[in-house]
Each structure stands twice: as structure tokens, then as C-alpha cells.
Amino acid sequence: MKKILAIIMGTILIASVFIGCKNATQKNEDGLNTLEKVKKSGVLTIGLNDTYPPMEFRDESQKLVGFDIDLGEEIAKKLGVKCEIKTNEWKGIILSLKANKYDMILSTMSITDERKKVIDFSNPYIVGGQRIVVKKGTDNIKDEKDLFNKVVGCQLGSTGEISASKIEGIKEVKKYDGVTEAFNDLAVGRINAVIADGQVAGYYLKKRGEDLVLLDAKLTKEPVGIGFRKDDKELKEEVQKALDELKEEGTLSKLSEKWFGYDIYK
């Protein structure tokens, strides 16, 4: 009886292993990784939030423009495919990546330890940082210590929000879906300051006039990278190769001069 039971169990085990191997082979033969899917379809889909000038935003004619838009187009060219942009609310941008709404995130995303737990990143293509913006004529705010008992605005889910949450004594951290909304509230006096990426703030202030001022104080130093699903190693490597070539060829420097007014890669 024991021999018969052993034979039956052995047969089941062998069958299970065979079926498992067959399924794995089937997946390898018929399934495509993301890079292969991109190459086959001829389209690289990029997820971003379109409320962060000069990185990604809508111009006067509602056309999607910005540094990351141009960079996405250049990366797609390197891969030999077309670039397709899919916009997403910032607070759900990582969840949408993991749900396969797009192939990667190219949206001025700072590389943080928390984010690295759930997605992978390229090497930094920009090193940014959070700075303070105040209304022109504000004499009582010079650095983060002066934010005590003040109402401070930031973009919801951004590293600006993280920086604001770490400053002791702030009366209220007001969170906005887009950083432009925060600047508008600052201009009319609804809040006392905004914490945002320095390059983004500098561009926005230049475009809107002289009603707001970007302070010299730097709160953080933040590397910005492209986000990928953790199992998309092949796509990540191919995009990183494209980034390296674009930097070596001087394309990134040209984009920097176009959108920031100076070469951040020097």
C-alpha cells in the first residue's frame, strides 16, 4: 500500500513539475517583456502629470510641452519608436504605472528611498532641490526657520510636501493638485509661502512676472530619474543607454538651455 501510494504521489509530483515547466516555457515563448512590446508596437508610452512647468505643462494653445516632453521624444527616437504621452494625477502616478497604464514615468520624479521600494529608477537626469517662494515685498521670510506659524503651500504627493512636513512649527501645510495653483494662492495672499523644486519655481516666476520671489535658501538636493516597474529590467537598461548617449551628444544640454536658460549639465 505504501509502495502504491509512493508511486501515485511520485506520478503527481512529476506531472506537476512538467505542467509547471510547460507553463514557464509557454510564457517565455509567447509573452513579451515591456521592451519587446514597445519595439513590436512601435510606441513608447510615458506617464506624467502635466502641471509642472517647465518640465511638463500645457501652453496657451493647450499643447503639451516641456523639458520632459522633449526628452521623451528623444528617448523614443533612440529606441526607434514613437512617443505617446498619457497624463495622470500626481498622487496616483505610481499606481497607474504598476497597473500598466504606461511603460514608464517621466515626470520630474525625485528618487527617494520610499519610492525605490515599489519602483526602479534610471540614473538621475537632473539633480534638483526644494526651495521657498514668497510674495514680493515679504521681508519676514528668508529661510525655513521663518516659516514658523506660517501657512505653506506645496504640490500634493511631491517631495515639496515631504520637505514642508519636516519643518517644525508650520501652522498649516496646504496641498494642491498642481504647483501652479499654489503659486496663484500665494500671489493673492491666501498662503505665506510655497515650497517647490527650484528649477520649476524659477521658470514659473520668470513667466508670470515679478509678483513672487524665489529665495536663495535650498532645503534639499534631489536627484530626478525615470521610473520603471521593477520587472522591466530590459526597458530600464535600454532607456538608460539612450539617456547616456543624449548626454554625451549634447542633446540634454540643448534642452536645458531651451527650458531653463542655462546648461545644468556643465
Side-chain angles (χ1 to χ4, degrees):
M1 188 69 180
K2 289 182 179 178
K3 289 183 179 179
I4 294 173
L5 185 59
I7 292 171
I8 292 173
M9 294 300 294
T11 303
I12 293 173
L13 179 61
I14 292 170
S16 298
V17 171
F18 176 76
I19 291 170
C21 291
K22 184 177 180 181
N23 287 341
T25 302
Q26 186 74 21
K27 182 178 180 181
N28 290 336
E29 288 177 352
D30 299 338
L32 299 175
N33 63 45
T34 301
L35 177 60
E36 292 168 337
K37 184 209 76 173
V38 167
K39 292 293 185 74
K40 183 176 181 179
S41 66
V43 178
L44 174 68
T45 57
I46 293 173
L48 56 79
N49 176 258
D50 58 351
T51 62
Y52 214 57
M55 305 304 292
E56 41 266 333
F57 65 105
R58 303 279 176 176
D59 65 11
E60 294 81 1
S61 62
Q62 293 303 302
K63 180 183 178 182
L64 193 56
V65 296
F67 181 96
D68 284 338
I69 310 303
D70 288 353
L71 178 56
E73 293 283 356
E74 294 295 338
I75 290 172
K77 287 179 186 177
K78 287 287 184 182
L79 270 59
V81 298
K82 294 180 180 179
C83 175
E84 179 182 332
I85 303 294
K86 294 189 176 181
T87 60
N88 205 93
E89 287 189 4
W90 181 255
K91 60 186 177 183
I93 199 164
I94 290 179
L95 289 175
S96 292
L97 173 69
K98 293 172 71 67
N100 298 306
K101 183 177 177 180
Y102 30 76
D103 301 318
M104 66 186 203
I105 298 172
L106 178 54
S107 191
T108 324
M109 179 168 279
S110 297
I111 303 170
T112 67
D113 290 337
E114 284 300 310
R115 287 170 179 162
K116 282 171 21 178
K117 291 177 182 178
V118 291
I119 62 173
D120 281 345
F121 284 95
S122 68
N123 294 338
Y125 65 92
I126 284 179
V127 177
Q130 299 301 309
R131 291 171 68 179
I132 301 169
V133 179
V134 296
K135 190 174 182 179
K136 187 176 182 180
T138 302
D139 298 323
N140 62 341
I141 300 178
K142 301 296 182 184
D143 55 35
E144 62 182 283
K145 296 190 296 295
D146 298 326
L147 296 178
F148 180 81
N149 206 32
K150 300 293 193 300
V151 179
V152 177
C154 60
Q155 182 169 354
L156 179 65
S158 69
T159 47
E161 179 185 347
I162 295 172
S163 294
S165 68
K166 292 180 179 179
I167 300 174
E168 294 183 4
I170 289 180
K171 181 178 180 180
E172 180 188 353
V173 176
K174 194 169 182 181
K175 303 164 188 177
Y176 299 82
D177 288 331
V179 71
T180 52
E181 299 169 26
F183 287 134
N184 289 337
D185 267 7
L186 176 62
V188 297
R190 293 194 183 102
I191 57 179
N192 302 114
V194 171
I195 294 179
D197 179 84
Q199 289 160 324
V200 173
Y203 172 85
Y204 188 83
L205 268 56
K206 183 174 67 174
K207 295 289 286 186
R208 67 175 291 132
E210 299 180 350
D211 58 338
L212 303 180
V213 178
L214 178 65
L215 300 183
D216 292 332
K218 296 180 180 179
L219 306 181
T220 62
K221 184 178 181 182
E222 299 172 9
V224 172
I226 300 173
F228 303 88
R229 290 181 289 271
K230 282 192 171 290
D231 55 353
D232 283 342
K233 305 297 183 184
E234 298 86 357
L235 179 64
K236 176 184 171 183
E237 290 175 3
E238 194 77 2
V239 170
Q240 185 60 58
K241 179 183 175 183
L243 275 174
D244 293 342
E245 291 177 357
L246 290 170
K247 184 175 182 180
E248 184 178 348
E249 296 166 359
T251 302
L252 292 185
S253 292
K254 291 178 182 177
L255 293 183
S256 176
E257 290 170 353
K258 173 182 177 181
W259 291 106
F260 310 141
Y262 66 102
D263 186 0
I264 64 174
Y265 298 100
K266 283 186 177 179

